[in-house]
C-alpha cells in the first residue's frame, strides 16, 4: 500500500461548481500535511498547509481527519484557472527533511 | 531573484552515458533536494542536503550521486544512464531552521526532462 494515496481523477466539473478531493495516508506518525498545485508540464507550487483545526484561503478549504487518516481539499466556485493537478504532501514525525508526495488528483474545470 | 534554476531543460542520453543535471538557487536556502516524477508514481525523493557539505539519501538514490560544495548549487550526477531513469527531474529548495525543512514551502525549479534510449 502506498504511504499517500489520491484518486487520480480526472475530476471534470463545470465552472462555478464545488469540488472536493481526499488524500489518505497510511502512517499514523505523519505530522504535517500540505497541498501543492502542479500545472501541466510545470513545477509544483505550494497551495496551502493543512492544520488540525482546518483552514481556509479564499475559495479553498483544507481539512485534516487524524482518526481516519485523511486530508481533504475543497474548492468552491471553481474557475477555469483552477484546472491543474493537486498533490497531497505528508511529512512523518522525525523525518522533517523528507516529504512524501501523493500521485496527484487532476481537476479539469470546463465552461 | 531567479529562484531555483535547472539546466538543461531537455536531455537525451544513450544507455551507459553519464551526465550531470545542474541546480542552483539564489535564495540562500539551506535545504535542497532532487525528485523524479514518473506517471502514476508521484514525486519521489532521490537525494537531499540540509547544508553545504551534508547530503543524504532519499527514497530512490540508486544510480545517482550528489554533492553540495556551496549553498547555491546542488548537482545531480547520473553515473551510467539506464532507460529506467527516463523521467522528469525536479530540484527544490527551502529554509531549514532547526532541521525542519519539510515544514517550509518548497520552491521547485522548472524541471529537466530526461530520456534514456
Amino acid at each position: 500500500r502506498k504511504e499517500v494515496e489520491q484518486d487520480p481523477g480526472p475530476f471534470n466539473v463545470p465552472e462555478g461548481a464545488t469540488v472536493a478531493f481526499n488524500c489518505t495516508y497510511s502512517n499514523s506518525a505523519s505530522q504535517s500535511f500540505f497541498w501543492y498545485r502542479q500545472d501541466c508540464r510545470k513545477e509544483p507550487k505550494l497551495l496551502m498547509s493543512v492544520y488540525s483545526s482546518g483552514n481556509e484561503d479564499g475559495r479553498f478549504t483544507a481539512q485534516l481527519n487524524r482518526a481516519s487518516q485523511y486530508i481533504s481539499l475543497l474548492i468552491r466556485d471553481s474557475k477555469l484557472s483552477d484546472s491543474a493537478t493537486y498533490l497531497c504532501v505528508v511529512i512523518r514525525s522525525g523525518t522533517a527533511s523528507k516529504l512524501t508526495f501523493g500521485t496527484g488528483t487532476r481537476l479539469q474545470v470546463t465552461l | 531573484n531567479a529562484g531555483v534554476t535547472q539546466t538543461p531543460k531537455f536531455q537525451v542520453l544513450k544507455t551507459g552515458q553519464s551526465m550531470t543535471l545542474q541546480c542552483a538557487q539564489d535564495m540562500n536556502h539551506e535545504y535542497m533536494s532532487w525528485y523524479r516524477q514518473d506517471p502514476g508514481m508521484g514525486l519521489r525523493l532521490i537525494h537531499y542536503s540540509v547544508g553545504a557539505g551534508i547530503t543524504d539519501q532519499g527514497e530512490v538514490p540508486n544510480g545517482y550521486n550528489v554533492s553540495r560544495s556551496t549553498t547555491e548549487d546542488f548537482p545531480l550526477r547520473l553515473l551510467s544512464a539506464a532507460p529506467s531513469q527516463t523521467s522528469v527531474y525536479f530540484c527544490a529548495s527551502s529554509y531549514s531552521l532547526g532541521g525542519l525543512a519539510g515544514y517550509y514551502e518548497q520552491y521547485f525549479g522548472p524541471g529537466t526532462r530526461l530520456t534514456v534510449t
Side-chain angles (χ1 to χ4, degrees):
Chain A
R1 184 185 171 188
K2 288 182 182 173
E3 186 168 346
V4 179
E5 296 209 60
Q6 295 183 252
D7 181 341
F11 284 58
N12 294 300
V13 302
E15 217 177 3
T18 295
V19 62
F21 313 131
N22 276 353
C23 165
T24 58
Y25 59 94
S26 60
N27 193 320
S28 60
S30 298
Q31 193 168 50
S32 294
F33 310 89
F34 305 86
W35 285 102
Y36 276 71
R37 169 194 168 126
Q38 185 174 26
D39 292 313
C40 188
R41 299 177 77 82
K42 297 283 193 181
E43 70 273 22
K45 293 184 180 177
L46 179 65
L47 179 67
M48 59 197 303
S49 304
V50 186
Y51 302 126
S52 295
S53 54
N55 48 301
E56 191 173 305
D57 183 0
R59 298 181 293 109
F60 297 83
T61 300
Q63 297 275 2
L64 167 62
N65 185 318
R66 285 195 185 273
S68 300
Q69 294 185 200
Y70 75 84
I71 67 173
S72 64
L73 178 68
L74 180 80
I75 305 175
R76 289 182 298 278
D77 188 23
S78 299
K79 312 287 185 198
L80 292 174
S81 57
D82 293 334
S83 298
T85 296
Y86 291 84
L87 308 174
C88 170
V89 178
V90 169
I91 299 174
R92 275 184 274 131
S93 175
T95 62
S97 294
K98 297 184 181 181
L99 288 73
T100 302
F101 283 78
T103 54
T105 297
R106 193 155 69 89
L107 172 65
Q108 184 67 48
V109 181
T110 57
L111 286 170
Chain B
N1 201 340
V4 180
T5 57
Q6 291 184 239
T7 56
K9 284 190 168 47
F10 302 93
Q11 183 70 49
V12 179
L13 289 179
K14 292 190 186 324
T15 297
Q17 287 184 316
S18 63
M19 79 158 295
T20 299
L21 307 186
Q22 300 292 344
C23 174
Q25 53 92 9
D26 61 0
M27 297 174 282
N28 202 31
H29 284 165
E30 302 95 332
Y31 180 83
M32 295 185 75
S33 56
W34 277 101
Y35 293 87
R36 58 177 291 173
Q37 186 174 35
D38 303 293
M41 300 292 292
L43 281 94
R44 290 180 292 168
L45 183 64
I46 304 172
H47 286 285
Y48 66 96
S49 168
V50 297
I54 306 169
T55 64
D56 206 345
Q57 296 182 349
E59 182 186 353
V60 288
N62 292 340
Y64 308 95
N65 269 358
V66 291
S67 59
R68 184 99 179 268
S69 55
T70 67
T71 299
E72 294 79 18
D73 300 298
F74 192 42
L76 179 72
R77 277 182 288 278
L78 279 71
L79 309 172
S80 176
S84 60
Q85 293 179 304
T86 293
S87 188
V88 181
Y89 291 85
F90 287 103
C91 177
S93 74
S94 76
Y95 293 106
S96 182
L97 295 175
L100 303 176
Y103 298 101
Y104 296 92
E105 178 174 1
Q106 304 295 305
Y107 293 83
F108 285 84
T112 294
R113 296 181 183 277
L114 175 69
T115 302
V116 183
T117 61

